[in-house]
Amino acid sequence: VDLLKGTLSAQAEQPSLLNVCIDEIVYFFAQTRCRVVIFEDLDRFDDGRIFIKLREINQIINNNLSGRKGSLRFIYAVRDDIFKDAESRTKFFDFIIPVIPVLDSQNAFSHLLQRFSQDELQYPRFEELLKKVSRFIPDMRVMHNITNEFRVYQNMVNNRGDITKLLAMICYKNIFTEDYNLIDSRNGLLFHTVDAFRRGELQNLAFDEVESSLQEARMRISDFTKGNSTDTELRRELLEQILPPNFAKKLSFMGFSANRHMNPQIWNLEQLVESDNIFRAFLTSNLLISINLNDSPFQDTAIDNVDKSALLKEYEIRVQKVHERSREEIKELRSEIGRLKKKCLQRNRISLSELLREAERPAYVNWLQGQGLLKNESSLTSYELDILVLLLTDGFLSTDYMLFR
């Protein structure tokens, strides 16, 4: 097609149907008074080349109609975002008429309310559901279809049962159609979510962390029972106050009687730090205390000039505060353990909606991705995953969803 000359070339290797039939198309408009052609929904193909081809055909027909009364106009009813930027859109179309939508996310709820009776709106949580799903309804056609299907299912399937859950399923069917259709093949996000919940696997989303916290609290209680590590840190801190600058792990603490070379008592650093009894004996001993370096009895540094009674008094005051604080921590830990145990007992009694509220959306999305059910959130439209999470967490869809389809 040559736009400048308004001619066609018959040498194309694979001519399209429009190119093959262009003579018949031109003849039709030349012999009729039809001067307006309206195209709808071409934007669904998401291919801009369609519009380019139609513009070429429009130009060819008008070139052949020159001298006749009127020219042929192509009118396109398409989305406003069919072209990426305003410049390309205004260049392609000669004239653009904006169409203000009757329904949008702001007024969808009021439109929905008009389609249901007062008795239906009085049903438990029915109006709440309408308010929450209205922001996911993209246009009036979807709204019409939701209300029409609701009437059909209400009379034939639901037998006037829980109409709130029925409407939730109808909304899910129309908004997340692909996932709804996968239910019959035992697949899809909704099917696998409910299936994992029934098998007890989905509960790990919320209760793995609870059980981990419970185990950690029990270990901390056990540590307090075996010996408080804070006591050890306190004894190490006090020893550092009296040790010489050349303090090292090889130091040994030796207590001698009057005869400094007879039956010495030896304590290493770890014994003093780990044992309360040895530490107290060290501070209350009447023996000559010295520090021996490198196991040589001749390289020692006397520390008997240290005021050990003051050091012992400080130790007793501070260790009492440590124990008081430890008792408070143990009390808090036991209270926390009791709370966590009660929470763990809910594992087999929790509902699907409560579980997902407890786990929160990021954990649920990560689980879907871990199961290979969702590559990433961008693989769905902005509202498909949103409505699934909404209906599940609010309890509008649950393990009995098959009763409403």
Side-chain angles (χ1 to χ4, degrees), residues 284-313:
T284 57
S285 175
N286 292 324
L287 303 176
L288 175 63
I289 307 299
S290 64
I291 299 176
N292 183 280
L293 298 175
N294 302 322
D295 297 326
S296 173
F298 304 105
Q299 297 179 5
D300 56 0
T301 304
I303 60 169
D304 51 328
N305 59 339
V306 173
D307 188 352
K308 293 179 289 182
S309 60
L311 197 62
L312 178 61
K313 184 177 180 180

Side-chain angles (χ1 to χ4, degrees), residues 113-146:
L113 286 177
Q114 298 171 10
R115 298 176 178 274
F116 297 96
S117 67
Q118 284 300 318
D119 290 339
E120 290 168 337
L121 294 175
Q122 294 300 320
Y123 198 86
R125 303 191 70 195
F126 193 87
E127 189 170 341
E128 177 190 350
L129 174 63
L130 293 180
K131 185 177 295 184
K132 290 186 175 181
V133 301
S134 60
R135 62 190 177 94
F136 298 106
I137 298 177
D139 52 50
M140 187 64 76
R141 285 176 294 186
V142 174
M143 179 178 291
H144 281 307
N145 202 50
I146 288 174

Side-chain angles (χ1 to χ4, degrees), residues 29-73:
F29 286 105
Q31 297 300 315
T32 64
R33 296 182 179 181
C34 179
R35 291 297 178 263
V36 175
V37 179
I38 300 176
F39 298 91
E40 292 184 354
D41 298 330
L42 292 179
D43 50 328
R44 293 184 180 181
F45 296 101
D46 198 23
D47 188 351
R49 293 176 298 177
I50 295 175
F51 298 94
I52 296 175
K53 177 60 70 176
L54 288 174
R55 187 180 179 87
E56 293 173 355
I57 293 172
N58 190 195
Q59 184 66 44
I60 293 172
I61 294 172
N62 283 329
N63 288 343
N64 283 272
L65 292 178
S66 60
R68 300 174 184 268
K69 185 177 180 180
S71 59
L72 179 65
R73 300 292 183 185

Side-chain angles (χ1 to χ4, degrees), residues 283 307-319:
L283 293 179
D307 188 352
K308 293 179 289 182
S309 60
L311 197 62
L312 178 61
K313 184 177 180 180
E314 180 184 355
Y315 172 68
E316 290 177 341
I317 293 173
R318 293 179 63 180
V319 80

Side-chain angles (χ1 to χ4, degrees), residues 348-362:
N348 296 325
R349 298 198 293 258
I350 194 171
S351 67
L352 178 57
S353 60
E354 291 171 335
L355 174 63
L356 292 179
R357 284 198 299 271
E358 187 77 22
E360 298 183 348
R361 175 179 173 137

Side-chain angles (χ1 to χ4, degrees), residues 197-198 200 203 207 338-357 398-399:
F197 176 77
R198 286 172 173 164
Q203 284 80 337
F207 289 95
R339 186 187 68 81
L340 293 173
K341 282 182 176 180
K342 288 181 180 179
K343 198 167 186 179
C344 286
L345 292 176
Q346 299 295 320
R347 182 184 181 99
N348 296 325
R349 298 198 293 258
I350 194 171
S351 67
L352 178 57
S353 60
E354 291 171 335
L355 174 63
L356 292 179
R357 284 198 299 271
S398 189
T399 53

